[in-house]
Amino acid sequence: MSTPFGAWPSPVTATDVAHGAVRLSFPALVAGRLWWTEGRPAESGRQVVVRRAEDGTAHDVLPAPFNARTRVHEYGGLSWVATDAGLVFAEFTDQRLWLLAEGASTPVALTPVPDEPSGLRYADPVVVGSEVWCVREAHAGGAVRRHLVAVPLDGSLAVRELVGGSDFLAHPRLAPDGAHLAWIAWDHPQMPWDGTELRGASVVDGEVGEPRTLLGGLEESVLQPEWADARTLHAVTDATGWWNLVRVSLDGGVPEPLHPAAEEFAAPLWQLGQTSYGVLEDGRLAVTHGVGRAAPALLDPATGTLTDLDVPFDSVSAVSVTDGTLVGIGISPTAPTSLFTVDLATGTVEVLDHGDDGPSLGAEWLPVPTAEALPGPDGRTVHALVYPPTHPTAVAPEGELPPYVVFVHGGPTSQSPNARSTEKAYFTSRGIGVVDVNYGGSSGYGRAYRNSLREQWGVVDVQDCVAAAQALAADGRADGSRLVIRGGSAGGWTVLSALTRTDAFAAGASYYGVAELVRFAQDTHDFESRYLDGLIGPLPETHDRYVERAPLSHVDELSCPVLLLQGDEDEVVPPSQSELFRDAMVRNGIPHAYLLFAGEQHGFRKAENVVTALESELSFYGQVLGFTPPDVPRLDLTRP
């Protein structure tokens, strides 16, 4: 017996998606032991530092209720470092640095109480003797300032400033002999993927001297300096149009390319502490590289030879190396996201932990995507991952084509990887296809592709998402009358823009999406407060463009239902954005629903909220597209 697309019975529940999505990040080898961070939805998103014991079992280093999560840049990043004295971590509730000694249950404060709650924030720590050096973000009276600071481990709270003079700083790296410090710096309105500078300065008795710029500028993004020796640095630069590795001397001169190639050896610095390569003891580099993916390889700087490593993953991230061992996070369309190590002498790979194992699903329930280059407007190529409806037994009525949902990633300078996704299986196992679009502006395809979104946000991203969906309809894979679109943050902006500026979609779901721009530019956090200069144009010169481009200005052209989902503590895209759009839909009599989730920031972390959001979204699509998904509570829509 046939069952309509969208109504197929499925064992993949929203609870599976929520509880399976443990977030793995920042693996590191410390004294031969593997450490990493787990973000756990089942514990309200608590970030836990975990260590692998000698017997191979994993143990929480950070006991509940402590939460190693920094709010620097609001997106956070590396929030801890292991020292001889114990674990140093940034506690989410107060943003101070604390030291948890080995075997202790109560940490000791290392940084003072700020004048404003959570007003002093710390990230990207490295150990320097009896201190931790890191980025400090200071909030006072609405102003934000950042420095590299030194934090003593003795509990004296005597934090001292090392380096300032820039709006943003990252990647502090002390030379092997301790005589020089290198770091990355940039200023508004640049974002770190637009233009940064590699700087260096002498260090004498713990004090940092006058900095010199070694590499970079307004139109060159330099990332992750690592010392080759006491006078020479490796770094990644996109001066050629691709993030490639170079070697640069403290004495200046032209940087030396290590392996020039039209592929990426790094990713955008959305979170402080990200690493895409590591330096081995013999001088070789363990790197990631590729177009639209990041494959692990060994690079010999002496010869420029690049040798790929044989690992069971499509792409890897968070690569670091210690004592001849590479550690990273691997993703694959057919296996859970996993921690892994590679013995670089033997090539032996060990998969250590399945972070998003989720339900025990057979392969027959998991969609295997195809990476496709779809035709876009004006001859452009649109990169996308296509996940067809996947079910071991269900079939649709003869002649029926499946609905498709377009996934729009955030950023917009981010990338959707080719990864196993229980969330996508939640839709595909019910007979709803997914197309995940890496639209113009996405990373992974070179600087020119990223720059195609300059002053074109709300135009190129919308055009590419529409083109991808319509290409599937044109070749008979999707029902062109049952296309929907969903996305979060910048992806939510694209959703609302597509719904108000085109008639390509029957409905859309915006997760904490941007709806208007003038107020958003005033209300959003400091890290992205000038991001719109590049995406739309500078203010006040392009004020009219801000108004005209905003979805809120075109609600009169909206004719389909919309679902809005929002966290009430979101500092990146405040609730006012969703509420302005909701109010406009009320005035215009547009069917809609608005769900506000208490205690959520930018991105939902609490399992119960992830469940409610997904089930509501599926019910919403069913009501709009004409199918009844089984075992899902009905979402009440506000109708005229």
Side-chain angles (χ1 to χ4, degrees), residues 240-284:
T240 64
W242 297 85
W243 271 313
N244 281 192
L245 281 151
V246 297
R247 184 162 45 203
V248 60
S249 170
L250 280 178
D251 300 322
V254 178
E256 176 189 355
L258 300 185
H259 183 87
E263 52 184 337
E264 302 280 43
F265 285 75
L269 189 64
W270 276 104
Q271 288 196 317
L272 292 180
Q274 290 178 195
T275 55
S276 61
Y277 75 97
V279 183
L280 279 70
E281 289 76 6
D282 62 8
R284 292 178 300 163

Short mmCIF file of all heavy atoms in Angstrom, two decimals, residues 240-284:
data_model
loop_
_atom_site.label_atom_id
_atom_site.label_comp_id
_atom_site.label_asym_id
_atom_site.label_seq_id
_atom_site.Cartn_x
_atom_site.Cartn_y
_atom_site.Cartn_z
N THR A 240 46.18 34.68 -2.45
CA THR A 240 46.06 34.16 -3.82
C THR A 240 44.61 33.92 -4.23
O THR A 240 44.34 33.53 -5.37
CB THR A 240 46.81 32.83 -3.95
OG1 THR A 240 46.19 31.85 -3.10
CG2 THR A 240 48.26 32.99 -3.55
N GLY A 241 43.68 34.14 -3.30
CA GLY A 241 42.28 33.80 -3.56
C GLY A 241 41.85 32.52 -2.89
O GLY A 241 40.66 32.18 -2.88
N TRP A 242 42.80 31.80 -2.30
CA TRP A 242 42.52 30.58 -1.55
C TRP A 242 43.34 30.60 -0.28
O TRP A 242 44.49 31.08 -0.28
CB TRP A 242 42.87 29.34 -2.37
CG TRP A 242 42.07 29.19 -3.62
CD1 TRP A 242 42.33 29.75 -4.83
CD2 TRP A 242 40.86 28.44 -3.78
NE1 TRP A 242 41.37 29.41 -5.75
CE2 TRP A 242 40.45 28.59 -5.13
CE3 TRP A 242 40.09 27.63 -2.94
CZ2 TRP A 242 39.31 27.99 -5.64
CZ3 TRP A 242 38.96 27.02 -3.44
CH2 TRP A 242 38.58 27.21 -4.78
N TRP A 243 42.79 30.08 0.83
CA TRP A 243 43.54 29.99 2.07
C TRP A 243 44.63 28.94 1.92
O TRP A 243 44.36 27.73 2.00
CB TRP A 243 42.62 29.65 3.23
CG TRP A 243 42.02 30.84 3.92
CD1 TRP A 243 42.68 31.96 4.31
CD2 TRP A 243 40.65 31.01 4.30
NE1 TRP A 243 41.79 32.84 4.92
CE2 TRP A 243 40.55 32.27 4.93
CE3 TRP A 243 39.51 30.22 4.20
CZ2 TRP A 243 39.34 32.77 5.43
CZ3 TRP A 243 38.31 30.71 4.69
CH2 TRP A 243 38.23 31.96 5.31
N ASN A 244 45.86 29.39 1.69
CA ASN A 244 47.01 28.51 1.52
C ASN A 244 48.04 28.78 2.61
O ASN A 244 48.07 29.87 3.20
CB ASN A 244 47.66 28.72 0.16
CG ASN A 244 46.94 28.04 -1.00
OD1 ASN A 244 47.47 27.96 -2.09
ND2 ASN A 244 45.72 27.55 -0.78
N LEU A 245 48.90 27.80 2.83
CA LEU A 245 49.93 27.92 3.85
C LEU A 245 51.19 28.59 3.32
O LEU A 245 51.61 28.34 2.18
CB LEU A 245 50.29 26.53 4.38
CG LEU A 245 49.30 25.97 5.41
CD1 LEU A 245 49.26 24.46 5.36
CD2 LEU A 245 49.65 26.46 6.80
N VAL A 246 51.77 29.44 4.16
CA VAL A 246 53.02 30.12 3.83
C VAL A 246 53.94 30.08 5.05
O VAL A 246 53.52 29.78 6.16
CB VAL A 246 52.79 31.59 3.41
CG1 VAL A 246 51.93 31.68 2.16
CG2 VAL A 246 52.15 32.39 4.55
N ARG A 247 55.21 30.41 4.79
CA ARG A 247 56.19 30.57 5.84
C ARG A 247 56.68 32.01 5.80
O ARG A 247 56.95 32.54 4.72
CB ARG A 247 57.34 29.59 5.64
CG ARG A 247 58.38 29.59 6.74
CD ARG A 247 59.23 28.32 6.71
NE ARG A 247 59.65 27.96 5.36
CZ ARG A 247 59.99 26.73 4.99
NH1 ARG A 247 59.95 25.74 5.87
NH2 ARG A 247 60.38 26.47 3.75
N VAL A 248 56.77 32.65 6.96
CA VAL A 248 57.15 34.05 7.01
C VAL A 248 58.18 34.24 8.13
O VAL A 248 58.09 33.63 9.19
CB VAL A 248 55.92 34.96 7.22
CG1 VAL A 248 55.20 34.61 8.52
CG2 VAL A 248 56.29 36.42 7.19
N SER A 249 59.14 35.10 7.87
CA SER A 249 60.20 35.35 8.84
C SER A 249 59.87 36.56 9.71
O SER A 249 59.23 37.52 9.25
CB SER A 249 61.52 35.59 8.12
OG SER A 249 62.52 36.05 9.01
N LEU A 250 60.33 36.53 10.95
CA LEU A 250 60.20 37.71 11.81
C LEU A 250 60.96 38.91 11.25
O LEU A 250 60.66 40.06 11.57
CB LEU A 250 60.72 37.40 13.21
CG LEU A 250 59.80 36.62 14.16
CD1 LEU A 250 60.52 36.37 15.47
CD2 LEU A 250 58.50 37.38 14.40
N ASP A 251 61.95 38.64 10.40
CA ASP A 251 62.73 39.72 9.82
C ASP A 251 62.05 40.35 8.62
O ASP A 251 62.59 41.28 8.01
CB ASP A 251 64.10 39.17 9.39
CG ASP A 251 64.88 38.60 10.57
OD1 ASP A 251 64.80 39.20 11.66
OD2 ASP A 251 65.54 37.56 10.40
N GLY A 252 60.87 39.84 8.27
CA GLY A 252 60.13 40.40 7.14
C GLY A 252 60.46 39.67 5.85
O GLY A 252 60.97 38.55 5.83
N GLY A 253 60.17 40.33 4.73
CA GLY A 253 60.41 39.72 3.43
C GLY A 253 59.15 39.09 2.87
O GLY A 253 58.09 39.08 3.50
N VAL A 254 59.27 38.56 1.66
CA VAL A 254 58.14 37.97 0.97
C VAL A 254 57.82 36.60 1.57
O VAL A 254 58.71 35.78 1.76
CB VAL A 254 58.44 37.82 -0.54
CG1 VAL A 254 57.27 37.15 -1.26
CG2 VAL A 254 58.75 39.18 -1.16
N PRO A 255 56.55 36.34 1.90
CA PRO A 255 56.21 35.02 2.46
C PRO A 255 56.45 33.92 1.43
O PRO A 255 56.25 34.11 0.23
CB PRO A 255 54.72 35.16 2.81
CG PRO A 255 54.23 36.29 1.98
CD PRO A 255 55.37 37.23 1.82
N GLU A 256 56.85 32.76 1.92
CA GLU A 256 57.16 31.63 1.05
C GLU A 256 55.97 30.67 1.00
O GLU A 256 55.61 30.08 2.01
CB GLU A 256 58.38 30.89 1.59
CG GLU A 256 58.73 29.63 0.82
CD GLU A 256 59.78 28.81 1.50
OE1 GLU A 256 60.33 29.25 2.54
OE2 GLU A 256 60.06 27.68 1.02
N PRO A 257 55.36 30.49 -0.18
CA PRO A 257 54.26 29.52 -0.29
C PRO A 257 54.78 28.10 -0.04
O PRO A 257 55.84 27.73 -0.53
CB PRO A 257 53.75 29.69 -1.73
CG PRO A 257 54.32 30.99 -2.20
CD PRO A 257 55.60 31.19 -1.45
N LEU A 258 54.01 27.31 0.69
CA LEU A 258 54.42 25.94 0.99
C LEU A 258 53.82 24.93 0.02
O LEU A 258 54.45 23.92 -0.28
CB LEU A 258 54.04 25.57 2.42
CG LEU A 258 54.65 26.44 3.53
CD1 LEU A 258 54.28 25.89 4.89
CD2 LEU A 258 56.16 26.55 3.38
N HIS A 259 52.61 25.19 -0.44
CA HIS A 259 51.97 24.30 -1.41
C HIS A 259 50.85 25.10 -2.09
O HIS A 259 49.68 24.96 -1.74
CB HIS A 259 51.39 23.05 -0.72
CG HIS A 259 50.78 22.07 -1.68
ND1 HIS A 259 51.52 21.09 -2.32
CD2 HIS A 259 49.51 21.92 -2.13
CE1 HIS A 259 50.72 20.38 -3.10
NE2 HIS A 259 49.49 20.86 -3.01
N PRO A 260 51.18 25.94 -3.08
CA PRO A 260 50.15 26.75 -3.73
C PRO A 260 49.13 25.86 -4.43
O PRO A 260 49.49 24.95 -5.18
CB PRO A 260 50.94 27.58 -4.75
CG PRO A 260 52.37 27.42 -4.39
CD PRO A 260 52.52 26.15 -3.64
N ALA A 261 47.84 26.10 -4.17
CA ALA A 261 46.80 25.28 -4.77
C ALA A 261 45.48 26.02 -4.71
O ALA A 261 45.23 26.81 -3.80
CB ALA A 261 46.69 23.94 -4.04
N ALA A 262 44.62 25.75 -5.68
CA ALA A 262 43.27 26.33 -5.72
C ALA A 262 42.35 25.50 -4.84
O ALA A 262 41.38 24.88 -5.30
CB ALA A 262 42.77 26.40 -7.15
N GLU A 263 42.66 25.47 -3.55
CA GLU A 263 41.84 24.79 -2.57
C GLU A 263 42.10 25.43 -1.21
O GLU A 263 43.07 26.17 -1.03
CB GLU A 263 42.13 23.29 -2.54
CG GLU A 263 43.59 22.92 -2.40
CD GLU A 263 43.80 21.40 -2.49
OE1 GLU A 263 42.85 20.66 -2.21
OE2 GLU A 263 44.92 20.98 -2.82
N GLU A 264 41.23 25.13 -0.26
CA GLU A 264 41.28 25.78 1.04
C GLU A 264 42.03 24.93 2.06
O GLU A 264 41.79 23.72 2.17
CB GLU A 264 39.86 26.03 1.56
CG GLU A 264 38.99 26.87 0.63
CD GLU A 264 39.25 28.36 0.72
OE1 GLU A 264 40.44 28.74 0.78
OE2 GLU A 264 38.28 29.13 0.72
N PHE A 265 42.93 25.59 2.81
CA PHE A 265 43.64 24.94 3.91
C PHE A 265 43.18 25.49 5.26
O PHE A 265 43.84 25.28 6.27
CB PHE A 265 45.14 25.14 3.75
CG PHE A 265 45.77 24.30 2.67
CD1 PHE A 265 45.59 24.61 1.34
CD2 PHE A 265 46.52 23.17 2.99
CE1 PHE A 265 46.16 23.84 0.32
CE2 PHE A 265 47.09 22.39 1.99
CZ PHE A 265 46.91 22.72 0.66
N ALA A 266 42.05 26.20 5.28
CA ALA A 266 41.52 26.76 6.53
C ALA A 266 40.04 27.04 6.34
O ALA A 266 39.49 26.88 5.24
CB ALA A 266 42.28 28.03 6.93
N ALA A 267 39.40 27.48 7.42
CA ALA A 267 37.98 27.82 7.43
C ALA A 267 37.80 29.14 8.16
O ALA A 267 38.69 29.58 8.89
CB ALA A 267 37.18 26.71 8.09
N PRO A 268 36.66 29.80 7.98
CA PRO A 268 36.45 31.11 8.63
C PRO A 268 36.55 31.02 10.15
O PRO A 268 36.13 30.02 10.76
CB PRO A 268 35.02 31.49 8.20
CG PRO A 268 34.75 30.70 6.99
CD PRO A 268 35.50 29.42 7.16
N LEU A 269 37.09 32.06 10.76
CA LEU A 269 37.32 32.08 12.20
C LEU A 269 36.03 32.54 12.91
O LEU A 269 35.95 33.66 13.42
CB LEU A 269 38.49 33.00 12.55
CG LEU A 269 38.97 32.96 14.00
CD1 LEU A 269 39.53 31.60 14.35
CD2 LEU A 269 40.01 34.05 14.25
N TRP A 270 35.05 31.66 12.96
CA TRP A 270 33.82 31.98 13.68
C TRP A 270 33.99 31.80 15.18
O TRP A 270 33.33 32.48 15.97
CB TRP A 270 32.67 31.11 13.17
CG TRP A 270 32.01 31.65 11.95
CD1 TRP A 270 32.14 31.22 10.67
CD2 TRP A 270 31.12 32.77 11.88
NE1 TRP A 270 31.39 31.98 9.81
CE2 TRP A 270 30.74 32.94 10.53
CE3 TRP A 270 30.60 33.65 12.83
CZ2 TRP A 270 29.88 33.95 10.11
CZ3 TRP A 270 29.74 34.65 12.41
CH2 TRP A 270 29.38 34.80 11.07
N GLN A 271 34.84 30.88 15.58
CA GLN A 271 35.08 30.65 17.00
C GLN A 271 36.57 30.73 17.29
O GLN A 271 37.38 30.14 16.56
CB GLN A 271 34.57 29.27 17.43
CG GLN A 271 33.05 29.16 17.48
CD GLN A 271 32.61 27.93 18.25
OE1 GLN A 271 33.17 26.85 18.10
NE2 GLN A 271 31.61 28.08 19.10
N LEU A 272 36.93 31.46 18.33
CA LEU A 272 38.33 31.58 18.69
C LEU A 272 38.90 30.22 19.09
O LEU A 272 38.23 29.42 19.74
CB LEU A 272 38.49 32.57 19.85
CG LEU A 272 38.19 34.04 19.54
CD1 LEU A 272 38.39 34.89 20.78
CD2 LEU A 272 39.08 34.54 18.41
N GLY A 273 40.13 29.98 18.67
CA GLY A 273 40.79 28.74 19.00
C GLY A 273 40.70 27.67 17.92
O GLY A 273 41.28 26.59 18.08
N GLN A 274 39.98 27.95 16.83
CA GLN A 274 39.89 26.98 15.74
C GLN A 274 41.27 26.72 15.15
O GLN A 274 42.07 27.64 14.97
CB GLN A 274 38.98 27.51 14.62
CG GLN A 274 37.52 27.57 14.96
CD GLN A 274 36.69 28.16 13.84
OE1 GLN A 274 35.56 28.53 14.05
NE2 GLN A 274 37.24 28.24 12.64
N THR A 275 41.54 25.45 14.82
CA THR A 275 42.80 25.10 14.17
C THR A 275 42.53 24.21 12.97
O THR A 275 41.65 23.36 13.00
CB THR A 275 43.74 24.37 15.14
OG1 THR A 275 43.08 23.22 15.67
CG2 THR A 275 44.17 25.28 16.28
N SER A 276 43.30 24.41 11.91
CA SER A 276 43.14 23.60 10.70
C SER A 276 44.43 22.85 10.34
O SER A 276 44.45 22.11 9.38
CB SER A 276 42.73 24.48 9.52
OG SER A 276 43.72 25.46 9.26
N TYR A 277 45.49 23.07 11.12
CA TYR A 277 46.74 22.33 10.88
C TYR A 277 47.57 22.34 12.16
O TYR A 277 47.29 23.08 13.11
CB TYR A 277 47.53 22.95 9.72
CG TYR A 277 48.25 24.24 10.05
CD1 TYR A 277 49.60 24.24 10.39
CD2 TYR A 277 47.58 25.47 10.01
CE1 TYR A 277 50.27 25.42 10.69
CE2 TYR A 277 48.24 26.65 10.30
CZ TYR A 277 49.58 26.62 10.64
OH TYR A 277 50.24 27.79 10.95
N GLY A 278 48.59 21.48 12.18
CA GLY A 278 49.51 21.41 13.30
C GLY A 278 50.92 21.13 12.82
O GLY A 278 51.12 20.62 11.70
N VAL A 279 51.91 21.47 13.62
CA VAL A 279 53.32 21.32 13.26
C VAL A 279 53.89 20.12 13.99
O VAL A 279 53.82 20.02 15.22
CB VAL A 279 54.12 22.59 13.63
CG1 VAL A 279 55.58 22.45 13.18
CG2 VAL A 279 53.49 23.83 13.01
N LEU A 280 54.46 19.19 13.21
CA LEU A 280 55.09 18.01 13.80
C LEU A 280 56.51 18.32 14.27
O LEU A 280 57.12 19.32 13.84
CB LEU A 280 55.14 16.87 12.78
CG LEU A 280 53.87 16.04 12.60
CD1 LEU A 280 52.78 16.85 11.91
CD2 LEU A 280 54.15 14.78 11.80
N GLU A 281 57.03 17.46 15.11
CA GLU A 281 58.37 17.66 15.65
C GLU A 281 59.44 17.65 14.57
O GLU A 281 60.48 18.30 14.71
CB GLU A 281 58.68 16.58 16.70
CG GLU A 281 57.90 16.71 18.01
CD GLU A 281 56.45 16.28 17.90
OE1 GLU A 281 56.05 15.76 16.84
OE2 GLU A 281 55.71 16.48 18.87
N ASP A 282 59.20 16.94 13.45
CA ASP A 282 60.20 16.88 12.39
C ASP A 282 60.03 18.00 11.36
O ASP A 282 60.73 18.02 10.34
CB ASP A 282 60.15 15.52 11.69
CG ASP A 282 58.81 15.23 11.00
OD1 ASP A 282 57.96 16.15 10.93
OD2 ASP A 282 58.61 14.10 10.54
N GLY A 283 59.12 18.95 11.63
CA GLY A 283 58.95 20.10 10.75
C GLY A 283 57.84 19.96 9.73
O GLY A 283 57.44 20.95 9.11
N ARG A 284 57.34 18.74 9.52
CA ARG A 284 56.21 18.58 8.61
C ARG A 284 54.94 19.14 9.25
O ARG A 284 54.86 19.33 10.47
CB ARG A 284 56.01 17.11 8.25
CG ARG A 284 57.12 16.49 7.40
CD ARG A 284 56.82 15.02 7.14
NE ARG A 284 56.73 14.26 8.39
CZ ARG A 284 56.17 13.06 8.49
NH1 ARG A 284 55.64 12.48 7.42
NH2 ARG A 284 56.14 12.44 9.66
#
